[in-house]
Amino acid sequence: MKNLLLLLILIPSLTNATTYYVATTGNDANPGTITSPFRTWARLSTVMVAGDIAYIRGGTYTSTAGAGASTHCYFTNMNGTASNWITIQNYPGEYPVLDLSNIGIPTNENPRGVLVEDCSYLRLKGLRVTGLQQHRGGNGI
């Protein structure tokens, strides 16, 4: 009886969760499904809610924001709960990389590869960010 009650409590929270996908071949106008994935990591910030999970497929992602951008991937206002985290992670067995070496020398004094702001219960796992040059004495992360 106790197990049945626990199952009845958990089922509604599990059925409301959405799984999204991002791939180098995707498009941010897509619905984010495995067959029609998003293109950018930041697109997830506009759709994910408590309990959702996103899988970022392997490959190399770049930024089109340019050398003057302060941030190249921005996760904002993503709020899970203690029992329903928002999870963004690599697709199992694959290795996504946000490679910002195409930016060259940033003109912004404090460039950021990824900025997480105003989020709670957000889990990022298996993602790599590389290649963003920093200015000596700047405080970019």
Side-chain angles (χ1 to χ4, degrees):
M1 185 65 162
K2 197 185 283 186
N3 289 340
L4 179 60
L5 180 59
L6 182 61
L7 185 61
L8 291 174
I9 291 170
L10 290 177
I11 285 177
S13 65
L14 294 175
T15 57
N16 292 333
T18 302
T19 301
Y20 294 101
Y21 297 87
V22 178
T24 58
T25 57
N27 184 314
D28 281 351
N30 287 345
T33 62
I34 195 162
T35 56
S36 296
F38 296 136
R39 169 69 178 92
T40 64
W41 298 11
R43 176 68 168 94
L44 297 170
S45 188
T46 66
V47 296
M48 295 187 78
V49 297
D52 288 352
I53 187 167
Y55 291 106
I56 300 182
R57 302 300 305 258
T60 301
Y61 298 80
T62 58
S63 173
T64 58
S70 62
T71 303
H72 294 276
C73 179
Y74 192 46
F75 294 125
T76 183
N77 297 316
M78 300 177 77
N79 296 295
T81 66
S83 60
N84 285 304
W85 285 65
I86 294 173
T87 302
I88 301 172
Q89 69 178 58
N90 63 304
Y91 190 83
E94 296 184 7
Y95 305 97
V97 176
L98 179 58
D99 183 357
L100 301 172
S101 61
N102 69 310
I103 301 302
I105 298 173
T107 57
N108 186 288
E109 185 178 322
N110 297 302
R112 297 172 183 93
V114 175
L115 177 63
V116 177
E117 186 172 65
D118 295 325
C119 297
S120 59
Y121 299 99
L122 172 64
R123 178 180 295 122
L124 303 174
K125 179 181 173 188
L127 310 177
R128 182 175 175 210
V129 180
T130 187
L132 182 61
Q133 295 184 42
Q134 297 291 298
H135 293 281
R136 181 170 287 193
N139 64 9
I141 47 177

